[in-house]
Amino acid sequence: MRSSAASDVYKRQVQEAGWRGIFMNASSQYYSNEVREYPQQFGMQEYYAKEYLQDLGYSGASGWGYHNDVLYKETLRLLEAGRKDKMLLVTKTLDMHQPYPYYGISWENMPPAVRDHELVTIRGMYWVDQTLKNFFEEAEAKGLMDDRTLFIITADHNPHSGGEYTKIVTNENDRKSIAPIPLLFVSKNLQPLNNFCLLYTSPSPRDRQKS
């Protein structure tokens, strides 16, 4: 997920108000110097990456990093451990970003329409759907889906303009460099989102002091 200047301001605002700011990344902290770049870009006080997950005993990472199921498992652990905290937690996954998507479901456990499809991307999309489904089922079972918690699902860019995506994404406008990306809100209480735009237009406490 790429961060805009407005969203960076908001992340710093909530931390100034006493919230925990956490960014968890599937890949190595040394990739593109992300250990320095991401905390600076996103303004999060806590930054975790592949090395952190290794130290916790997780296994099965590829050369790119850990898979979605591991990221979601650790996300649930952080949410459960910080149940009493005010928290803004960003989890950045990568399974659909690898050269041809990863999928961690065995052949026999995939629906025939998925496993027999000519495009491997379809199997990757099914894997992403299933890991999200499992995440929300676990969140519900652990009592983390309350009316004070908001989950946001988004992406850092639209589908690539080449490869199998040309067969899946048929609308040319959706393959341009500037194209729609998903922004999904999941919560038992969506009423606060009626004023969602205010989050990006209100000045920060620091800015109000200057004025």
Side-chain angles (χ1 to χ4, degrees):
M1 181 175 65
R2 297 297 178 195
S3 176
S4 68
S7 61
D8 288 347
V9 168
Y10 177 60
K11 290 166 188 172
R12 290 180 171 87
Q13 279 183 346
V14 297
Q15 288 176 142
E16 289 172 1
W19 290 43
R20 289 176 65 189
I22 305 173
F23 190 99
M24 184 162 59
N25 191 15
S27 57
S28 171
Q29 62 184 2
Y30 302 112
Y31 177 75
S32 294
N33 199 30
E34 289 179 356
V35 66
R36 294 180 181 272
E37 292 292 331
Y38 273 19
Q40 181 177 349
Q41 288 181 31
F42 297 107
M44 313 299 257
Q45 294 171 342
E46 300 176 48
Y47 172 78
Y48 306 128
K50 179 181 177 181
E51 293 74 18
Y52 159 85
L53 295 166
Q54 286 176 331
D55 290 343
L56 289 178
Y58 289 108
S59 60
S62 70
W64 283 70
Y66 278 96
H67 299 299
N68 291 18
D69 54 340
V70 170
L71 269 291
Y72 291 144
K73 183 176 181 178
E74 180 57 18
T75 297
L76 288 167
R77 191 193 72 79
L78 287 170
L79 290 174
E80 195 166 22
R83 188 186 296 269
K84 296 182 180 180
D85 298 337
K86 293 180 178 180
M87 182 189 306
L88 176 61
L89 168 59
V90 177
T91 300
K92 178 174 176 283
T93 61
L94 57 68
D95 278 346
M96 281 298 291
H97 202 283
Q98 299 185 60
Y100 284 106
Y102 169 86
Y103 55 92
I105 301 176
S106 62
W107 193 259
E108 62 272 14
N109 288 327
M110 284 187 286
V114 174
R115 69 186 183 210
D116 296 335
H117 202 283
E118 62 173 322
L119 304 179
V120 68
T121 302
I122 297 299
R123 292 187 280 282
M125 292 168 64
Y126 180 77
W127 162 252
V128 168
D129 286 348
Q130 291 303 302
T131 56
L132 274 173
K133 174 176 176 288
N134 292 339
F135 171 80
F136 283 114
E137 287 178 346
E138 284 295 310
E140 180 70 37
K142 294 177 183 294
L144 299 171
M145 292 279 292
D146 56 46
D147 61 1
R148 298 181 54 141
T149 302
L150 173 66
F151 298 92
I152 302 174
I153 305 168
T154 188
D156 63 347
H157 57 70
N158 57 305
H160 292 287
S161 58
E164 292 187 346
Y165 293 104
T166 59
K167 299 180 180 180
I168 298 173
V169 183
T170 56
N171 186 336
E172 186 61 33
N173 289 328
D174 292 336
R175 297 205 298 263
K176 293 180 178 179
S177 58
I178 299 178
I181 60 171
L183 184 62
L184 309 176
F185 299 96
V186 180
S187 178
K188 289 189 174 180
N189 177 23
L190 294 175
Q191 184 66 29
L193 293 180
N194 289 340
N195 298 320
F196 178 69
C197 62
L198 296 179
L199 300 179
Y200 291 90
T201 57
S202 300
S204 68
R206 184 183 297 126
D207 292 335
R208 285 196 292 269
Q209 290 174 2
K210 293 178 180 178
S211 61

mmCIF file of all heavy atoms in Angstrom, residues 81-123:
data_model
loop_
_atom_site.group_PDB
_atom_site.id
_atom_site.type_symbol
_atom_site.label_atom_id
_atom_site.label_comp_id
_atom_site.label_asym_id
_atom_site.label_seq_id
_atom_site.Cartn_x
_atom_site.Cartn_y
_atom_site.Cartn_z
ATOM 1 N N ALA A 81 -3.118 -9.566 21.255
ATOM 2 C CA ALA A 81 -2.247 -9.128 22.342
ATOM 3 C C ALA A 81 -2.498 -7.664 22.702
ATOM 4 O O ALA A 81 -2.351 -7.266 23.857
ATOM 5 C CB ALA A 81 -0.789 -9.333 21.954
ATOM 6 N N GLY A 82 -2.870 -6.865 21.697
ATOM 7 C CA GLY A 82 -3.121 -5.453 21.928
ATOM 8 C C GLY A 82 -4.595 -5.121 21.990
ATOM 9 O O GLY A 82 -5.004 -4.013 21.619
ATOM 10 N N ARG A 83 -5.382 -6.050 22.437
ATOM 11 C CA ARG A 83 -6.841 -5.891 22.443
ATOM 12 C C ARG A 83 -7.284 -4.613 23.158
ATOM 13 O O ARG A 83 -8.278 -3.990 22.776
ATOM 14 C CB ARG A 83 -7.477 -7.114 23.114
ATOM 15 C CG ARG A 83 -8.983 -7.186 23.027
ATOM 16 C CD ARG A 83 -9.508 -8.347 23.832
ATOM 17 N NE ARG A 83 -9.057 -9.610 23.292
ATOM 18 C CZ ARG A 83 -9.735 -10.313 22.379
ATOM 19 N NH1 ARG A 83 -10.870 -9.834 21.907
ATOM 20 N NH2 ARG A 83 -9.266 -11.459 21.950
ATOM 21 N N LYS A 84 -6.545 -4.204 24.189
ATOM 22 C CA LYS A 84 -6.930 -3.025 24.962
ATOM 23 C C LYS A 84 -6.283 -1.751 24.429
ATOM 24 O O LYS A 84 -6.520 -0.662 24.961
ATOM 25 C CB LYS A 84 -6.562 -3.230 26.432
ATOM 26 C CG LYS A 84 -7.320 -4.380 27.102
ATOM 27 C CD LYS A 84 -6.938 -4.500 28.564
ATOM 28 C CE LYS A 84 -7.702 -5.642 29.235
ATOM 29 N NZ LYS A 84 -7.337 -5.774 30.682
ATOM 30 N N ASP A 85 -5.441 -1.881 23.408
ATOM 31 C CA ASP A 85 -4.743 -0.716 22.858
ATOM 32 C C ASP A 85 -5.566 -0.054 21.764
ATOM 33 O O ASP A 85 -6.330 -0.711 21.053
ATOM 34 C CB ASP A 85 -3.393 -1.128 22.255
ATOM 35 C CG ASP A 85 -2.454 -1.731 23.276
ATOM 36 O OD1 ASP A 85 -2.630 -1.460 24.475
ATOM 37 O OD2 ASP A 85 -1.535 -2.480 22.870
ATOM 38 N N LYS A 86 -5.370 1.258 21.604
ATOM 39 C CA LYS A 86 -5.814 1.930 20.399
ATOM 40 C C LYS A 86 -4.699 1.752 19.378
ATOM 41 O O LYS A 86 -3.542 2.076 19.648
ATOM 42 C CB LYS A 86 -6.069 3.411 20.669
ATOM 43 C CG LYS A 86 -7.248 3.665 21.591
ATOM 44 C CD LYS A 86 -7.461 5.151 21.814
ATOM 45 C CE LYS A 86 -8.660 5.412 22.700
ATOM 46 N NZ LYS A 86 -8.866 6.869 22.925
ATOM 47 N N MET A 87 -5.027 1.232 18.216
ATOM 48 C CA MET A 87 -3.987 0.770 17.306
ATOM 49 C C MET A 87 -4.341 1.050 15.857
ATOM 50 O O MET A 87 -5.485 0.848 15.430
ATOM 51 C CB MET A 87 -3.785 -0.741 17.508
ATOM 52 C CG MET A 87 -2.700 -1.378 16.674
ATOM 53 S SD MET A 87 -2.734 -3.206 16.802
ATOM 54 C CE MET A 87 -2.659 -3.449 18.576
ATOM 55 N N LEU A 88 -3.356 1.508 15.090
ATOM 56 C CA LEU A 88 -3.461 1.574 13.630
ATOM 57 C C LEU A 88 -2.412 0.620 13.084
ATOM 58 O O LEU A 88 -1.217 0.895 13.149
ATOM 59 C CB LEU A 88 -3.219 2.992 13.124
ATOM 60 C CG LEU A 88 -3.216 3.166 11.597
ATOM 61 C CD1 LEU A 88 -4.564 2.769 11.004
ATOM 62 C CD2 LEU A 88 -2.885 4.602 11.213
ATOM 63 N N LEU A 89 -2.850 -0.525 12.583
ATOM 64 C CA LEU A 89 -1.962 -1.597 12.134
ATOM 65 C C LEU A 89 -2.118 -1.789 10.635
ATOM 66 O O LEU A 89 -3.224 -2.037 10.146
ATOM 67 C CB LEU A 89 -2.292 -2.893 12.878
ATOM 68 C CG LEU A 89 -1.682 -4.201 12.375
ATOM 69 C CD1 LEU A 89 -0.158 -4.149 12.386
ATOM 70 C CD2 LEU A 89 -2.177 -5.380 13.220
ATOM 71 N N VAL A 90 -1.016 -1.681 9.901
ATOM 72 C CA VAL A 90 -1.003 -1.914 8.455
ATOM 73 C C VAL A 90 -0.230 -3.197 8.183
ATOM 74 O O VAL A 90 0.921 -3.346 8.611
ATOM 75 C CB VAL A 90 -0.344 -0.739 7.705
ATOM 76 C CG1 VAL A 90 -0.265 -1.041 6.207
ATOM 77 C CG2 VAL A 90 -1.112 0.549 7.948
ATOM 78 N N THR A 91 -0.846 -4.126 7.464
ATOM 79 C CA THR A 91 -0.198 -5.381 7.074
ATOM 80 C C THR A 91 -0.067 -5.407 5.558
ATOM 81 O O THR A 91 -1.074 -5.360 4.852
ATOM 82 C CB THR A 91 -1.016 -6.591 7.556
ATOM 83 O OG1 THR A 91 -1.118 -6.558 8.984
ATOM 84 C CG2 THR A 91 -0.356 -7.896 7.122
ATOM 85 N N LYS A 92 1.151 -5.483 5.064
ATOM 86 C CA LYS A 92 1.422 -5.450 3.624
ATOM 87 C C LYS A 92 1.777 -6.861 3.145
ATOM 88 O O LYS A 92 2.819 -7.398 3.483
ATOM 89 C CB LYS A 92 2.564 -4.479 3.316
ATOM 90 C CG LYS A 92 2.960 -4.392 1.853
ATOM 91 C CD LYS A 92 4.007 -3.296 1.667
ATOM 92 C CE LYS A 92 4.511 -3.234 0.234
ATOM 93 N NZ LYS A 92 5.465 -4.310 -0.063
ATOM 94 N N THR A 93 0.893 -7.452 2.356
ATOM 95 C CA THR A 93 1.105 -8.803 1.839
ATOM 96 C C THR A 93 1.711 -8.752 0.439
ATOM 97 O O THR A 93 1.783 -7.688 -0.177
ATOM 98 C CB THR A 93 -0.220 -9.581 1.804
ATOM 99 O OG1 THR A 93 -1.131 -8.905 0.926
ATOM 100 C CG2 THR A 93 -0.849 -9.666 3.197
ATOM 101 N N LEU A 94 2.118 -9.936 -0.078
ATOM 102 C CA LEU A 94 2.781 -9.914 -1.393
ATOM 103 C C LEU A 94 2.476 -11.098 -2.297
ATOM 104 O O LEU A 94 3.008 -11.170 -3.407
ATOM 105 C CB LEU A 94 4.296 -9.796 -1.218
ATOM 106 C CG LEU A 94 5.079 -10.810 -0.394
ATOM 107 C CD1 LEU A 94 5.142 -12.199 -0.993
ATOM 108 C CD2 LEU A 94 6.513 -10.318 -0.196
ATOM 109 N N ASP A 95 1.622 -12.026 -1.886
ATOM 110 C CA ASP A 95 1.462 -13.253 -2.676
ATOM 111 C C ASP A 95 0.965 -13.012 -4.098
ATOM 112 O O ASP A 95 1.272 -13.779 -5.000
ATOM 113 C CB ASP A 95 0.524 -14.229 -1.957
ATOM 114 C CG ASP A 95 1.260 -15.029 -0.893
ATOM 115 O OD1 ASP A 95 2.496 -15.011 -0.900
ATOM 116 O OD2 ASP A 95 0.595 -15.658 -0.052
ATOM 117 N N MET A 96 0.194 -11.958 -4.328
ATOM 118 C CA MET A 96 -0.246 -11.671 -5.699
ATOM 119 C C MET A 96 0.788 -10.847 -6.464
ATOM 120 O O MET A 96 0.590 -10.517 -7.631
ATOM 121 C CB MET A 96 -1.578 -10.911 -5.682
ATOM 122 C CG MET A 96 -2.790 -11.790 -5.454
ATOM 123 S SD MET A 96 -3.055 -13.035 -6.746
ATOM 124 C CE MET A 96 -3.516 -12.000 -8.129
ATOM 125 N N HIS A 97 1.887 -10.498 -5.800
ATOM 126 C CA HIS A 97 2.879 -9.620 -6.409
ATOM 127 C C HIS A 97 4.082 -10.381 -6.942
ATOM 128 O O HIS A 97 4.899 -9.830 -7.672
ATOM 129 C CB HIS A 97 3.338 -8.571 -5.394
ATOM 130 C CG HIS A 97 3.918 -7.342 -6.014
ATOM 131 N ND1 HIS A 97 5.185 -7.304 -6.535
ATOM 132 C CD2 HIS A 97 3.402 -6.100 -6.205
ATOM 133 C CE1 HIS A 97 5.435 -6.101 -7.018
ATOM 134 N NE2 HIS A 97 4.368 -5.346 -6.845
ATOM 135 N N GLN A 98 4.243 -11.626 -6.581
ATOM 136 C CA GLN A 98 5.391 -12.394 -7.048
ATOM 137 C C GLN A 98 5.252 -12.674 -8.547
ATOM 138 O O GLN A 98 4.161 -12.626 -9.097
ATOM 139 C CB GLN A 98 5.495 -13.712 -6.274
ATOM 140 C CG GLN A 98 5.696 -13.491 -4.783
ATOM 141 C CD GLN A 98 5.916 -14.794 -4.053
ATOM 142 O OE1 GLN A 98 6.856 -15.515 -4.339
ATOM 143 N NE2 GLN A 98 5.055 -15.086 -3.099
ATOM 144 N N PRO A 99 6.362 -13.010 -9.207
ATOM 145 C CA PRO A 99 6.271 -13.363 -10.638
ATOM 146 C C PRO A 99 5.426 -14.634 -10.797
ATOM 147 O O PRO A 99 5.895 -15.723 -10.531
ATOM 148 C CB PRO A 99 7.728 -13.617 -11.018
ATOM 149 C CG PRO A 99 8.535 -12.923 -9.982
ATOM 150 C CD PRO A 99 7.731 -13.026 -8.723
ATOM 151 N N TYR A 100 4.234 -14.443 -11.192
ATOM 152 C CA TYR A 100 3.148 -15.421 -11.150
ATOM 153 C C TYR A 100 2.806 -15.707 -9.703
ATOM 154 O O TYR A 100 3.669 -16.037 -8.888
ATOM 155 C CB TYR A 100 3.450 -16.685 -11.947
ATOM 156 C CG TYR A 100 3.311 -16.426 -13.431
ATOM 157 C CD1 TYR A 100 4.441 -16.317 -14.235
ATOM 158 C CD2 TYR A 100 2.077 -16.203 -13.994
ATOM 159 C CE1 TYR A 100 4.321 -16.027 -15.583
ATOM 160 C CE2 TYR A 100 1.950 -15.908 -15.340
ATOM 161 C CZ TYR A 100 3.080 -15.814 -16.130
ATOM 162 O OH TYR A 100 2.953 -15.516 -17.437
ATOM 163 N N PRO A 101 1.564 -15.524 -9.349
ATOM 164 C CA PRO A 101 1.161 -15.539 -7.947
ATOM 165 C C PRO A 101 1.394 -16.874 -7.268
ATOM 166 O O PRO A 101 1.299 -17.944 -7.873
ATOM 167 C CB PRO A 101 -0.337 -15.228 -8.016
ATOM 168 C CG PRO A 101 -0.536 -14.568 -9.332
ATOM 169 C CD PRO A 101 0.463 -15.200 -10.243
ATOM 170 N N TYR A 102 1.671 -16.799 -5.990
ATOM 171 C CA TYR A 102 1.813 -17.979 -5.138
ATOM 172 C C TYR A 102 0.424 -18.469 -4.726
ATOM 173 O O TYR A 102 -0.504 -17.676 -4.567
ATOM 174 C CB TYR A 102 2.616 -17.602 -3.896
ATOM 175 C CG TYR A 102 2.608 -18.654 -2.816
ATOM 176 C CD1 TYR A 102 3.530 -19.693 -2.846
ATOM 177 C CD2 TYR A 102 1.683 -18.613 -1.778
ATOM 178 C CE1 TYR A 102 3.535 -20.661 -1.856
ATOM 179 C CE2 TYR A 102 1.681 -19.575 -0.777
ATOM 180 C CZ TYR A 102 2.607 -20.596 -0.822
ATOM 181 O OH TYR A 102 2.605 -21.550 0.159
ATOM 182 N N TYR A 103 0.297 -19.760 -4.545
ATOM 183 C CA TYR A 103 -0.909 -20.302 -3.923
ATOM 184 C C TYR A 103 -0.505 -21.481 -3.051
ATOM 185 O O TYR A 103 0.290 -22.324 -3.439
ATOM 186 C CB TYR A 103 -1.968 -20.712 -4.951
ATOM 187 C CG TYR A 103 -1.518 -21.672 -6.016
ATOM 188 C CD1 TYR A 103 -1.671 -23.051 -5.845
ATOM 189 C CD2 TYR A 103 -0.947 -21.218 -7.197
ATOM 190 C CE1 TYR A 103 -1.272 -23.940 -6.832
ATOM 191 C CE2 TYR A 103 -0.542 -22.102 -8.181
ATOM 192 C CZ TYR A 103 -0.708 -23.461 -7.998
ATOM 193 O OH TYR A 103 -0.297 -24.337 -8.968
ATOM 194 N N GLY A 104 -1.016 -21.508 -1.820
ATOM 195 C CA GLY A 104 -0.621 -22.512 -0.841
ATOM 196 C C GLY A 104 -1.683 -23.554 -0.573
ATOM 197 O O GLY A 104 -1.711 -24.135 0.515
ATOM 198 N N ILE A 105 -2.537 -23.802 -1.538
ATOM 199 C CA ILE A 105 -3.589 -24.816 -1.407
ATOM 200 C C ILE A 105 -3.259 -25.962 -2.344
ATOM 201 O O ILE A 105 -2.934 -25.749 -3.513
ATOM 202 C CB ILE A 105 -4.971 -24.216 -1.746
ATOM 203 C CG1 ILE A 105 -5.289 -23.040 -0.813
ATOM 204 C CG2 ILE A 105 -6.064 -25.277 -1.643
ATOM 205 C CD1 ILE A 105 -6.580 -22.325 -1.137
ATOM 206 N N SER A 106 -3.329 -27.173 -1.821
ATOM 207 C CA SER A 106 -2.991 -28.338 -2.639
ATOM 208 C C SER A 106 -3.987 -28.506 -3.788
ATOM 209 O O SER A 106 -5.127 -28.057 -3.713
ATOM 210 C CB SER A 106 -2.973 -29.609 -1.776
ATOM 211 O OG SER A 106 -4.251 -29.852 -1.219
ATOM 212 N N TRP A 107 -3.531 -29.185 -4.827
ATOM 213 C CA TRP A 107 -4.324 -29.372 -6.038
ATOM 214 C C TRP A 107 -5.679 -29.987 -5.747
ATOM 215 O O TRP A 107 -6.713 -29.514 -6.240
ATOM 216 C CB TRP A 107 -3.528 -30.247 -7.004
ATOM 217 C CG TRP A 107 -4.053 -30.287 -8.398
ATOM 218 C CD1 TRP A 107 -4.811 -31.265 -8.987
ATOM 219 C CD2 TRP A 107 -3.848 -29.306 -9.418
ATOM 220 N NE1 TRP A 107 -5.093 -30.968 -10.286
ATOM 221 C CE2 TRP A 107 -4.506 -29.755 -10.585
ATOM 222 C CE3 TRP A 107 -3.170 -28.092 -9.460
ATOM 223 C CZ2 TRP A 107 -4.504 -29.043 -11.770
ATOM 224 C CZ3 TRP A 107 -3.171 -27.384 -10.639
ATOM 225 C CH2 TRP A 107 -3.831 -27.853 -11.774
ATOM 226 N N GLU A 108 -5.689 -31.035 -4.907
ATOM 227 C CA GLU A 108 -6.938 -31.751 -4.639
ATOM 228 C C GLU A 108 -7.917 -30.939 -3.794
ATOM 229 O O GLU A 108 -9.117 -31.245 -3.761
ATOM 230 C CB GLU A 108 -6.661 -33.098 -3.960
ATOM 231 C CG GLU A 108 -5.976 -33.022 -2.608
ATOM 232 C CD GLU A 108 -4.463 -33.002 -2.710
ATOM 233 O OE1 GLU A 108 -3.942 -32.777 -3.819
ATOM 234 O OE2 GLU A 108 -3.807 -33.237 -1.666
ATOM 235 N N ASN A 109 -7.432 -29.912 -3.107
ATOM 236 C CA ASN A 109 -8.310 -29.104 -2.255
ATOM 237 C C ASN A 109 -8.817 -27.844 -2.933
ATOM 238 O O ASN A 109 -9.479 -27.020 -2.297
ATOM 239 C CB ASN A 109 -7.576 -28.735 -0.963
ATOM 240 C CG ASN A 109 -7.407 -29.923 -0.038
ATOM 241 O OD1 ASN A 109 -8.261 -30.808 0.013
ATOM 242 N ND2 ASN A 109 -6.310 -29.968 0.686
ATOM 243 N N MET A 110 -8.509 -27.681 -4.217
ATOM 244 C CA MET A 110 -9.038 -26.550 -4.968
ATOM 245 C C MET A 110 -10.251 -26.983 -5.781
ATOM 246 O O MET A 110 -10.305 -28.122 -6.250
ATOM 247 C CB MET A 110 -7.966 -25.979 -5.916
ATOM 248 C CG MET A 110 -6.905 -25.155 -5.226
ATOM 249 S SD MET A 110 -5.793 -24.336 -6.399
ATOM 250 C CE MET A 110 -4.813 -25.716 -6.955
ATOM 251 N N PRO A 111 -11.235 -26.112 -5.964
ATOM 252 C CA PRO A 111 -12.371 -26.444 -6.825
ATOM 253 C C PRO A 111 -11.883 -26.739 -8.243
ATOM 254 O O PRO A 111 -10.925 -26.113 -8.718
ATOM 255 C CB PRO A 111 -13.218 -25.168 -6.793
ATOM 256 C CG PRO A 111 -12.789 -24.442 -5.570
ATOM 257 C CD PRO A 111 -11.348 -24.760 -5.370
ATOM 258 N N PRO A 112 -12.502 -27.683 -8.931
ATOM 259 C CA PRO A 112 -12.068 -28.018 -10.290
ATOM 260 C C PRO A 112 -11.967 -26.806 -11.213
ATOM 261 O O PRO A 112 -11.032 -26.718 -12.017
ATOM 262 C CB PRO A 112 -13.141 -29.000 -10.756
ATOM 263 C CG PRO A 112 -13.634 -29.638 -9.497
ATOM 264 C CD PRO A 112 -13.592 -28.556 -8.466
ATOM 265 N N ALA A 113 -12.905 -25.887 -11.114
ATOM 266 C CA ALA A 113 -12.882 -24.721 -11.993
ATOM 267 C C ALA A 113 -11.642 -23.860 -11.758
ATOM 268 O O ALA A 113 -11.197 -23.150 -12.660
ATOM 269 C CB ALA A 113 -14.141 -23.884 -11.792
ATOM 270 N N VAL A 114 -11.090 -23.935 -10.547
ATOM 271 C CA VAL A 114 -9.889 -23.159 -10.213
ATOM 272 C C VAL A 114 -8.633 -23.933 -10.608
ATOM 273 O O VAL A 114 -7.766 -23.417 -11.318
ATOM 274 C CB VAL A 114 -9.858 -22.818 -8.708
ATOM 275 C CG1 VAL A 114 -8.535 -22.147 -8.322
ATOM 276 C CG2 VAL A 114 -11.028 -21.917 -8.339
ATOM 277 N N ARG A 115 -8.515 -25.175 -10.167
ATOM 278 C CA ARG A 115 -7.282 -25.929 -10.402
ATOM 279 C C ARG A 115 -7.079 -26.280 -11.872
ATOM 280 O O ARG A 115 -5.944 -26.426 -12.327
ATOM 281 C CB ARG A 115 -7.280 -27.194 -9.556
ATOM 282 C CG ARG A 115 -8.288 -28.251 -9.971
ATOM 283 C CD ARG A 115 -8.306 -29.399 -8.995
ATOM 284 N NE ARG A 115 -9.209 -30.456 -9.419
ATOM 285 C CZ ARG A 115 -9.843 -31.259 -8.574
ATOM 286 N NH1 ARG A 115 -9.687 -31.108 -7.264
ATOM 287 N NH2 ARG A 115 -10.641 -32.202 -9.018
ATOM 288 N N ASP A 116 -8.180 -26.385 -12.628
ATOM 289 C CA ASP A 116 -8.056 -26.750 -14.041
ATOM 290 C C ASP A 116 -7.994 -25.534 -14.966
ATOM 291 O O ASP A 116 -7.887 -25.697 -16.180
ATOM 292 C CB ASP A 116 -9.246 -27.631 -14.456
ATOM 293 C CG ASP A 116 -9.272 -28.963 -13.709
ATOM 294 O OD1 ASP A 116 -8.195 -29.410 -13.271
ATOM 295 O OD2 ASP A 116 -10.371 -29.527 -13.549
ATOM 296 N N HIS A 117 -8.028 -24.338 -14.390
ATOM 297 C CA HIS A 117 -8.006 -23.135 -15.218
ATOM 298 C C HIS A 117 -6.643 -22.971 -15.872
ATOM 299 O O HIS A 117 -5.604 -23.287 -15.288
ATOM 300 C CB HIS A 117 -8.335 -21.905 -14.371
ATOM 301 C CG HIS A 117 -8.831 -20.751 -15.166
ATOM 302 N ND1 HIS A 117 -8.000 -19.934 -15.912
ATOM 303 C CD2 HIS A 117 -10.093 -20.267 -15.340
ATOM 304 C CE1 HIS A 117 -8.714 -19.006 -16.503
ATOM 305 N NE2 HIS A 117 -9.986 -19.175 -16.185
ATOM 306 N N GLU A 118 -6.628 -22.475 -17.093
ATOM 307 C CA GLU A 118 -5.373 -22.318 -17.825
ATOM 308 C C GLU A 118 -4.458 -21.251 -17.227
ATOM 309 O O GLU A 118 -3.240 -21.268 -17.442
ATOM 310 C CB GLU A 118 -5.658 -21.942 -19.289
ATOM 311 C CG GLU A 118 -6.388 -20.595 -19.442
ATOM 312 C CD GLU A 118 -6.516 -20.162 -20.891
ATOM 313 O OE1 GLU A 118 -5.568 -20.378 -21.655
ATOM 314 O OE2 GLU A 118 -7.580 -19.608 -21.238
ATOM 315 N N LEU A 119 -5.014 -20.331 -16.452
ATOM 316 C CA LEU A 119 -4.240 -19.229 -15.898
ATOM 317 C C LEU A 119 -3.890 -19.489 -14.437
ATOM 318 O O LEU A 119 -4.778 -19.680 -13.602
ATOM 319 C CB LEU A 119 -5.023 -17.916 -16.009
ATOM 320 C CG LEU A 119 -5.497 -17.509 -17.407
ATOM 321 C CD1 LEU A 119 -6.273 -16.206 -17.350
ATOM 322 C CD2 LEU A 119 -4.319 -17.392 -18.370
ATOM 323 N N VAL A 120 -2.611 -19.468 -14.127
ATOM 324 C CA VAL A 120 -2.178 -19.688 -12.745
ATOM 325 C C VAL A 120 -2.625 -18.532 -11.852
ATOM 326 O O VAL A 120 -2.822 -18.711 -10.636
ATOM 327 C CB VAL A 120 -0.643 -19.865 -12.684
ATOM 328 C CG1 VAL A 120 0.076 -18.569 -13.032
ATOM 329 C CG2 VAL A 120 -0.218 -20.357 -11.307
ATOM 330 N N THR A 121 -2.821 -17.360 -12.434
ATOM 331 C CA THR A 121 -3.278 -16.208 -11.659
ATOM 332 C C THR A 121 -4.612 -16.481 -10.989
ATOM 333 O O THR A 121 -4.875 -15.982 -9.884
ATOM 334 C CB THR A 121 -3.387 -14.967 -12.563
ATOM 335 O OG1 THR A 121 -2.114 -14.716 -13.161
ATOM 336 C CG2 THR A 121 -3.821 -13.740 -11.776
ATOM 337 N N ILE A 122 -5.471 -17.260 -11.614
ATOM 338 C CA ILE A 122 -6.764 -17.600 -11.021
ATOM 339 C C ILE A 122 -6.557 -18.379 -9.732
ATOM 340 O O ILE A 122 -7.261 -18.155 -8.735
ATOM 341 C CB ILE A 122 -7.619 -18.413 -12.022
ATOM 342 C CG1 ILE A 122 -7.922 -17.580 -13.269
ATOM 343 C CG2 ILE A 122 -8.908 -18.902 -11.361
ATOM 344 C CD1 ILE A 122 -8.706 -16.305 -12.989
ATOM 345 N N ARG A 123 -5.580 -19.293 -9.716
ATOM 346 C CA ARG A 123 -5.299 -20.045 -8.494
ATOM 347 C C ARG A 123 -4.720 -19.121 -7.418
ATOM 348 O O ARG A 123 -5.007 -19.293 -6.226
ATOM 349 C CB ARG A 123 -4.363 -21.208 -8.805
ATOM 350 C CG ARG A 123 -5.041 -22.272 -9.664
ATOM 351 C CD ARG A 123 -4.196 -23.505 -9.843
ATOM 352 N NE ARG A 123 -3.162 -23.353 -10.860
ATOM 353 C CZ ARG A 123 -3.386 -23.428 -12.162
ATOM 354 N NH1 ARG A 123 -4.614 -23.615 -12.616
ATOM 355 N NH2 ARG A 123 -2.391 -23.311 -13.029
#
